Amino acid sequence: MARRKLIAGNWKMNGTLASLAELDGIAAAAVANPGVDVSVAVPATLIAPAHARVPNLAVGAEDVHEADSGAHTGCISAPMVLEAGASFTIVGHSERRGDQHETSHDAFMKAAAAHRHGLGVILCVGELEAERAAGRAERVVQAQIEKSLPDDAHADWLTLAYEPRWAIGTGRTPTMDDIAAMHAIARAKLRQMIGDTALDMRILYGGSVTGDNAAEILSLDNVDGALVGGASLTAAKFVPIIEAAARVGGR
């Protein structure tokens, strides 16, 4: 089944107003490669100006709180980012799970809140290096999907992202066989949970994706795009990944 490739950037805690100039080249590449969906999640302070600068590019939030409002100092809700111009959010990112000790249940609640307000969701799962070394990677990812996936999950609004936590920002990637195997396992788990509609759901790979390795990764079965961190900060590094996705096409 052919699924459109999605190349999603995640700027993390990087960027100022001056950085938004990079979005011009990224937006132009999105127009030049209409067969690929392109989106960028930026820090909350940049959502509104980014949306104003490139209204035709999907701009997202890097996280949302599970509550709509309340005494949650420093947090930001789905209604807030939606009002600022976000069309999607990332939940369950490896750095949130690690640095902020978020659980799969937290990701579940955040995804549900985002969907309740009409935001698209990229839901992240992935194992630690020690878990892979112990032969538990598959079980860990399956359990995260089971505990994180909202009850009404559907390809219309939710995308899964597999990102081995030891590959984030390290320059290291799993073997192509390992990536393909984990994406197949994720697809099977989704199908077990939501039936054949899982065949329409995109599964992204995240973890040290670059213009040099993107085509090989994106050619794998069940790899429907990439969640890109550091390489999404500049058009010079992000655009080659978009172009690689366009060459590979849906599969």
Side-chain angles (χ1 to χ4, degrees), residues 41-130:
V42 297
T45 55
L46 297 180
I47 294 172
H51 177 65
R53 183 177 185 119
V54 285
N56 294 326
L57 180 68
V59 173
E62 296 173 2
D63 186 51
V64 293
H65 195 275
E66 65 185 64
D68 292 351
S69 61
H72 306 290
T73 301
C75 298
I76 189 165
S77 70
M80 290 174 177
V81 301
L82 183 67
E83 183 178 62
S87 60
F88 73 96
T89 187
I90 301 170
V91 302
H93 190 276
S94 63
E95 290 156 359
R96 300 290 307 182
R97 291 178 185 264
D99 297 346
Q100 279 74 39
H101 309 293
E102 291 187 359
T103 66
S104 290
H105 181 69
D106 291 329
F108 170 90
M109 295 296 291
K110 290 181 176 189
H115 177 50
R116 189 165 63 245
H117 291 281
L119 290 169
V121 173
I122 297 177
L123 169 63
C124 302
V125 297
E127 80 282 359
L128 295 167
E129 186 167 20

Side-chain angles (χ1 to χ4, degrees), residues 19-230:
S19 308
L20 295 181
E22 296 294 338
L23 294 180
D24 297 344
I26 294 170
V31 171
N33 296 278
V36 179
D37 292 332
V38 180
S39 61
V40 180
V42 297
T45 55
L46 297 180
I47 294 172
H51 177 65
R53 183 177 185 119
V54 285
N56 294 326
L57 180 68
V59 173
E62 296 173 2
D63 186 51
V64 293
H65 195 275
E66 65 185 64
D68 292 351
S69 61
H72 306 290
T73 301
C75 298
I76 189 165
S77 70
M80 290 174 177
V81 301
L82 183 67
E83 183 178 62
S87 60
F88 73 96
T89 187
I90 301 170
V91 302
H93 190 276
S94 63
E95 290 156 359
R96 300 290 307 182
R97 291 178 185 264
D99 297 346
Q100 279 74 39
H101 309 293
E102 291 187 359
T103 66
S104 290
H105 181 69
D106 291 329
F108 170 90
M109 295 296 291
K110 290 181 176 189
H115 177 50
R116 189 165 63 245
H117 291 281
L119 290 169
V121 173
I122 297 177
L123 169 63
C124 302
V125 297
E127 80 282 359
L128 295 167
E129 186 167 20
E131 292 167 337
R132 174 164 285 277
R136 298 178 53 233
E138 295 180 3
R139 283 174 288 168
V140 166
V141 169
Q142 287 173 323
Q144 288 177 348
I145 294 172
E146 185 171 332
K147 295 175 182 178
S148 300
L149 197 73
D151 299 331
D152 56 350
H154 195 280
D156 287 348
W157 63 273
L158 189 136
T159 296
L160 190 71
Y162 165 63
E163 43 171 27
R165 290 166 65 174
W166 49 272
I168 306 300
T170 64
R172 301 164 57 200
T173 57
T175 66
M176 296 300 117
D177 287 345
D178 285 341
I179 295 173
M182 192 62 81
H183 278 244
I185 288 164
R187 180 78 63 199
K189 184 63 177 178
L190 289 171
R191 197 169 184 182
Q192 178 189 36
M193 294 182 68
I194 63 175
D196 286 346
T197 58
L199 297 175
D200 296 323
M201 187 171 289
R202 292 187 285 202
I203 305 176
L204 312 182
Y205 171 76
S208 299
V209 178
T210 69
D212 293 331
N213 63 21
E216 185 176 17
I217 293 172
L218 295 171
S219 295
L220 298 172
D221 287 340
N222 291 305
V223 177
D224 306 308
L227 179 58
V228 184

